[in-house]
Amino acid sequence: MEENYTIRGSISHGILEKISFIILFAVSFLVPVFFVPISFISTQFGTSLLFAFGVILATLIYIISAFTAGSIDFPKSLKYLFVIFALVPMVYLLAGIGNGFSRMTFLGYTFDISTVGFMMLAFVYMFLISILFKNKERILNSYFAFLASSILFSVFILIRIIFGAEVLSFGIFTDLTGTMVGSWNNVGILFGVTTILSLLTFQMLNVSKLIKFLLLLALAFSLFILSLVNFSIIWIILAVCVLLYILYNLFGSQDPLFASFSLTEKILRTPLVPLLVLIVSGIFIIWGNSIGGYMANSFKITNIEVRPSLAVTLDIAKNTIKSQPLFGSGPNTFVTQWLTFKPDDITNTIFWNTDFTNGIGLIPTFSVTTGIFGILSWFVFFGFYLYFGVKSIFAKIEDSFLKYIVISSFFASLYLWIMAFVYTPSTVIFILSFFFTGLFFASLYIANIIPLTPYSFSYNPKMGFISSLTLVVIFVGVSALGFGLFKNSQSLWYFQKAFHSLNTVGNVTESAVYLNKAIKSSPFDIYYRALSEVELIKISAIISQDSKKVKIEDIQKQFSDTLSVAISAGISAKNADQTNYLNWIALGKVYESIVPFKIQGAYESAKFSYDEALRYNPKNPGILVLYARLAAANDDLKAARNYALQAISVKQNYLDAYFLLSQIEVADKNLKGAIDSVTAASIIDPTNSAVFFQLGLLKYNLKDFDGAIVAFEKSISLVPDYANAKYFLGLSYESIAQHDKAIAQFRDLRKTNPESKEVEAILTNLEAGKPIFVDNAKAANPEKATKLPVKEQQ
């Protein structure tokens, strides 16, 4: 009976293990090409969900298979198991717990790669790949799977390059550089991998001439895409990897005849194809700007990507570690440190209000978010990884195909890990890093460079108890993570439905219902913030009701009830994450909305909220503008003016601050003094378009349309696409009956602001010979509005 039970257990184990393998195989194949064709689900979030649920399912099945077999395969030396597969995720878990055990740290809004949950699953994935793919046939099949998905992706890219970005856009890839793998630079990283694998396969495997030709074709196409991407870092790292391979060929060969050659003879026998790839890489490293720029222009490809520099990232890491040395600020929290320690000079750039979520590279970012322990755990992991990499490529492996697997998986994973140091890869690329690293360790098991041994639960009670308990904990943890991800996905769906209801359908009530459902699924601060904003829209609608049609008592009750919900949502957002300045701003805006009604404590509560926002984002002049608006709402024009001037002193080209300042001066009936000071400012800084914009706005308020025209024209001459200057210039032209010039300005505006209904309405009226605001009394007097009338193109 016991023997039959053992046989049945072995059969069940084999079937379950094969199912786990098939799931991981399918996930690995789909990762580079998977996307959800729904506009509000980002490709990276879709990939994260595919990866997460696939790995979770494979893990649960693998654990069940281990229980049925009564044993599990581990590296013979358990220190290898701990250092390679457990150390980094364990440190991440401790960092997450030590920094507050928040949902953002463990799951994030969209399961970001910097979260505890993603990092733990990534290392589980790498472990399972190494165990379940540990035979040559499965590794070969996985290479074919990667090749197949790369071909599909290549066809997708090629069709769009030839026929344009509108082809195969699926409503989500709106420009040529939008793809399933992420940004255009990530496309380059992927084709860097295909370059390495094509090259090594061509050099190391004895295949037919047809296969050789196809490999050369794949190599040439990969280099072509790399030239279009023209990301210098990729060329440098590719050159380093190819150079290492060439040096390996020169000095690492185990052929006794080749070893007897002189250095000159060895150099002369350097393989031609790797040498050509090295030369091409060198050419693009040196002349890439001109060559790559020409090619990108020829194919109408625009690729702009901005990230913090190495110096800035290291400075943020240094300041963070001073106050939080062991575990940093917490996984997935780089943005909070960026807001605190970002350089002052960024304030006068267009990125002044950009909240960067990563530094120059992913691994340097982790030095900020996981502290000394985190960065040490990565260095220990990479130390062991490089040790086995060097050991394996110089090991004596008789099987040429196994040798190829070892070397190709090592160089592919090495390339991807270097990229993680110097760049922040997309979800797809980061997953591929773990995929090829897992294949590398699987090849080491096959080559017996790292011996594997089965650890039995049945025959050693102590080991059986510890192993069983560990597997049960992992099973429960992975199941909980899966449930959390399901709730996250559900909440995101409701959130996007709420967004659609509000912005497309215009149904505020339905939007609030969906937001409450999102909160019930996952109470993230962003959902509470959105709910508070929706309730403010409701308050605005309630106040604007006709008291002749609706009883005053009913309006007052509606106002009171809605205000209570708005305040409650703002407080809940703040409580969900007190370090997020946006939550404090949302709460402050709720209180600010009732300041004009002289409700006791509203001003103080709003100011306290903005104080907290400034504490968590001390270098943002936008918060000073919020102070100014709050003071103006409280009829304290002197304080409002001072706050606006402070904002301008921090960011000299801050349009909103200039606009608000002009409104304050108009309200204070001090237009002449305002014009004098702005004129003086224009003399001091004659290249500042924002100063001339404010001057024109002040003269427009004084009905000095000729003077306003001169100022606005000067502003536009400095910044040709200055949308708001064109808007008021068009109004000024119409005010002095220069209709054709006014029409020309608004036609230009329609090109840069095609979604603006106000611009379209004005242009329609002008072309019909009607007054500009004849159909929209609310839009009249835009110089007195609370915000600029049109969007500026960044």
Side-chain angles (χ1 to χ4, degrees):
M1 287 292 293
E2 185 176 344
E3 183 178 347
N4 289 335
Y5 177 80
T6 303
I7 292 172
R8 286 198 300 271
S10 179
I11 293 172
S12 300
H13 168 70
I15 293 172
L16 292 172
E17 188 181 84
K18 189 170 184 179
I19 293 173
S20 291
F21 163 75
I22 291 171
I23 292 170
L24 292 180
F25 183 85
V27 167
S28 303
F29 164 74
L30 288 172
V31 156
V33 294
F34 179 81
F35 66 96
V36 180
I38 300 174
S39 59
F40 60 76
I41 296 181
S42 71
T43 55
Q44 300 306 296
F45 184 43
T47 303
S48 294
L49 290 183
L50 168 74
F51 171 74
F53 287 124
V55 173
I56 288 169
L57 184 58
T59 303
L60 296 178
I61 294 173
Y62 180 76
I63 291 173
I64 294 171
S65 76
F67 275 119
T68 60
S71 68
I72 190 169
D73 289 340
F74 283 149
K76 193 171 184 178
S77 175
L78 289 180
K79 70 178 180 182
Y80 296 155
L81 174 72
F82 176 76
V83 169
I84 296 170
F85 300 109
L87 180 60
V88 172
M90 183 178 294
V91 169
Y92 265 77
L93 179 62
L94 293 174
I97 294 171
N99 283 283
F101 210 86
S102 71
R103 298 181 73 91
M104 277 299 296
T105 296
F106 277 78
L107 296 175
Y109 296 129
T110 56
F111 202 50
D112 315 288
I113 60 177
S114 297
T115 57
V116 176
F118 191 99
M119 199 61 63
M120 295 183 75
L121 280 186
F123 276 88
V124 168
Y125 171 70
M126 185 172 71
F127 170 75
L128 291 178
I129 291 286
S130 71
I131 294 297
L132 296 175
F133 287 62
K134 63 179 186 301
N135 70 57
K136 290 186 286 185
E137 183 182 354
R138 285 186 173 183
I139 293 179
L140 178 62
N141 288 337
S142 69
Y143 271 39
F144 277 126
F146 176 73
L147 173 65
S149 60
S150 298
I151 290 173
L152 285 174
F153 183 73
S154 299
V155 170
F156 170 81
I157 288 288
L158 195 57
I159 289 174
R160 284 165 59 80
I161 288 174
I162 295 171
F163 297 104
E166 65 278 359
V167 180
L168 299 179
S169 68
F170 301 103
I172 53 178
F173 305 120
T174 54
D175 55 60
L176 200 57
T177 58
T179 71
M180 296 82 90
V181 303
S183 68
W184 198 234
N185 287 342
N186 283 288
V187 172
I189 297 172
L190 178 67
F191 280 100
V193 178
T194 62
T195 299
I196 290 172
L197 291 181
S198 301
L199 174 62
L200 294 179
T201 307
F202 179 87
Q203 288 298 136
M204 298 187 69
L205 288 187
N206 186 18
V207 293
S208 67
K209 289 183 179 180
L210 176 61
I211 299 298
K212 290 273 188 182
F213 172 76
L214 293 176
L215 288 170
L216 285 176
L217 193 63
L219 179 61
F221 181 76
S222 298
L223 290 173
F224 168 71
I225 297 296
L226 286 178
S227 67
L228 288 181
V229 175
N230 194 34
F231 189 20
S232 59
I233 291 174
I234 296 178
W235 288 115
I236 293 170
I237 297 173
L238 181 62
V240 169
C241 290
V242 174
L243 179 60
L244 288 174
Y245 175 72
I246 290 174
L247 293 175
Y248 165 74
N249 268 278
L250 290 177
F251 303 107
S253 176
Q254 295 166 359
D255 184 347
L257 179 60
F258 187 80
S260 66
F261 291 157
S262 66
L263 179 60
T264 303
E265 289 175 313
K266 289 179 179 179
I267 292 173
L268 292 174
R269 290 173 179 267
T270 299
L272 179 60
V273 175
L275 190 59
L276 287 175
V277 173
L278 182 62
I279 291 171
V280 170
S281 300
I283 289 172
F284 274 90
I285 290 170
I286 299 171
W287 296 292
N289 286 339
S290 54
I291 301 173
Y294 172 78
M295 294 186 67
N297 290 333
S298 300
F299 289 94
K300 298 179 181 179
I301 295 172
T302 303
N303 178 35
I304 299 174
E305 192 170 328
V306 179
R307 55 206 170 105
S309 67
L310 176 62
V312 169
T313 305
L314 293 179
D315 184 62
I316 292 172
K318 182 182 70 175
N319 284 296
T320 302
I321 289 173
K322 280 182 181 177
S323 58
Q324 299 163 289
L326 299 184
F327 293 112
S329 60
N332 203 36
T333 60
F334 178 86
V335 65
T336 61
Q337 305 308 106
W338 162 260
L339 295 174
T340 303
F341 301 116
K342 66 182 179 182
D344 295 332
D345 56 4
I346 202 171
T347 306
N348 285 306
T349 71
I350 62 173
F351 306 105
W352 69 275
N353 204 27
T354 301
D355 297 345
F356 287 102
T357 56
N358 289 285
I360 189 170
L362 194 59
I363 305 301
T365 298
F366 294 155
S367 67
V368 175
T369 58
T370 56
I372 294 173
F373 282 173
I375 202 64
L376 284 179
S377 68
W378 278 107
F379 279 131
V380 171
F381 166 76
F382 286 123
F384 272 77
Y385 163 76
L386 291 174
Y387 165 75
F388 284 114
V390 174
K391 181 179 180 179
S392 64
I393 62 177
F394 290 107
K396 188 174 182 180
I397 302 175
E398 300 294 342
D399 188 329
S400 60
F401 180 71
L402 180 55
K403 186 75 172 177
Y404 157 75
I405 292 173
V406 169
I407 292 177
S408 60
S409 59
F410 174 67
F411 274 99
S413 57
L414 177 65
Y415 161 82
L416 289 169
W417 283 121
I418 295 174
M419 286 303 312
F421 270 95
V422 299
Y423 183 71
T424 302
S426 67
T427 303
V428 173
I429 300 300
F430 198 47
I431 291 170
L432 289 176
S433 304
F434 287 95
F435 173 69
F436 282 105
T437 307
L439 291 181
F440 170 61
F441 283 112
S443 69
L444 296 186
Y445 300 154
I446 300 170
N448 206 35
I449 293 173
I450 298 181
L452 278 184
T453 186
Y455 283 83
S456 175
F457 310 159
S458 308
Y459 304 111
N460 186 332
K462 182 178 178 182
M463 179 60 71
F465 174 76
I466 295 173
S467 302
S468 299
L469 180 62
T470 303
L471 289 176
V472 168
V473 169
I474 294 173
F475 189 95
V476 172
V478 169
S479 300
L481 182 59
F483 179 75
L485 279 174
F486 170 75
K487 299 300 285 184
N488 259 31
S489 306
Q490 187 181 49
S491 66
L492 181 65
W493 175 264
Y494 286 132
F495 178 66
Q496 294 299 340
K497 292 281 284 183
F499 186 84
H500 180 268
S501 296
L502 180 64
N503 293 286
T504 305
V505 182
N507 191 328
V508 179
T509 302
E510 186 179 73
S511 178
V513 170
Y514 280 125
L515 284 172
N516 279 301
K517 288 183 178 181
I519 290 168
K520 187 176 180 181
S521 295
S522 294
F524 278 120
D525 58 343
I526 189 173
Y527 303 152
Y528 284 117
R529 284 206 308 269
L531 182 60
S532 72
E533 291 169 5
V534 166
E535 297 303 320
L536 284 180
I537 295 173
K538 284 185 181 180
I539 288 174
S540 178
I542 290 168
I543 293 172
S544 63
Q545 290 181 104
D546 189 346
S547 59
K548 294 179 180 178
K549 297 180 179 179
V550 183
K551 293 180 179 179
I552 293 293
E553 296 80 7
D554 292 340
I555 293 177
Q556 289 175 339
K557 185 177 187 311
Q558 292 172 21
F559 178 85
S560 177
D561 292 344
T562 307
L563 178 62
S564 296
V565 176
I567 293 174
S568 176
I571 292 173
S572 296
K574 177 262 296 183
N575 290 340
D577 185 358
Q578 296 200 18
T579 65
N580 190 335
Y581 76 101
L582 293 173
N583 296 333
W584 288 104
I585 287 176
L587 180 59
K589 284 183 176 180
V590 174
Y591 287 123
E592 182 186 335
S593 69
I594 57 175
V595 166
F597 301 107
K598 306 302 178 184
I599 295 177
Q600 187 176 4
Y603 174 80
E604 290 76 13
S605 296
K607 188 174 183 304
F608 175 79
S609 297
Y610 291 153
D611 288 342
E612 290 299 294
L614 190 64
R615 182 159 75 94
Y616 290 111
N617 192 357
K619 299 182 180 181
N620 190 331
I623 299 173
L624 295 172
V625 167
L626 292 176
Y627 279 125
R629 286 175 177 161
L630 176 63
N634 199 43
D635 296 327
D636 188 349
L637 295 181
K638 182 178 179 181
R641 182 184 294 108
N642 288 336
Y643 283 127
L645 290 172
Q646 284 180 49
I648 292 170
S649 69
V650 174
K651 179 176 172 58
Q652 296 177 0
N653 58 352
Y654 193 5
L655 304 181
D656 288 341
Y658 282 113
F659 185 75
L660 180 59
L661 183 60
S662 68
Q663 291 179 309
I664 293 169
E665 298 296 2
V666 170
D668 204 27
K669 298 182 173 56
N670 187 29
L671 292 182
K672 187 177 183 305
I675 289 174
D676 290 342
S677 63
V678 174
T679 302
S682 70
I683 296 172
I684 296 170
D685 187 2
T687 63
N688 192 327
S689 60
V691 170
F692 287 100
F693 172 74
Q694 186 195 9
L695 180 61
L697 205 57
L698 290 169
K699 291 191 175 185
Y700 184 89
N701 274 281
L702 274 177
K703 311 299 182 185
D704 179 7
F705 299 118
D706 291 321
I709 287 170
V710 172
F712 289 135
E713 285 179 341
K714 175 63 176 177
S715 181
I716 293 169
S717 71
L718 294 169
V719 179
D721 293 327
Y722 202 151
N724 283 286
K726 286 187 177 183
Y727 179 95
F728 283 104
L729 178 59
L731 296 186
S732 301
Y733 280 141
E734 179 63 13
S735 298
I736 61 172
Q738 293 190 19
H739 305 293
D740 291 341
K741 289 185 176 181
I743 289 172
Q745 292 301 318
F746 281 100
R747 282 177 177 169
D748 280 349
L749 269 177
R750 184 168 60 181
K751 294 176 184 177
T752 58
N753 283 262
E755 75 289 347
S756 174
K757 294 180 181 179
E758 183 177 341
V759 169
E760 186 64 37
I762 289 173
L763 186 56
T764 300
N765 289 337
L766 285 173
E767 291 176 338
K770 298 179 180 179
I772 285 180
F773 300 110
V774 67
D775 299 320
N776 191 0
K778 290 183 179 180
N781 302 316
E783 71 280 5
K784 297 178 182 178
T786 57
K787 62 180 181 179
L788 293 167
V790 289
K791 293 180 181 178
E792 296 295 338
Q793 301 303 304
Q794 294 288 329

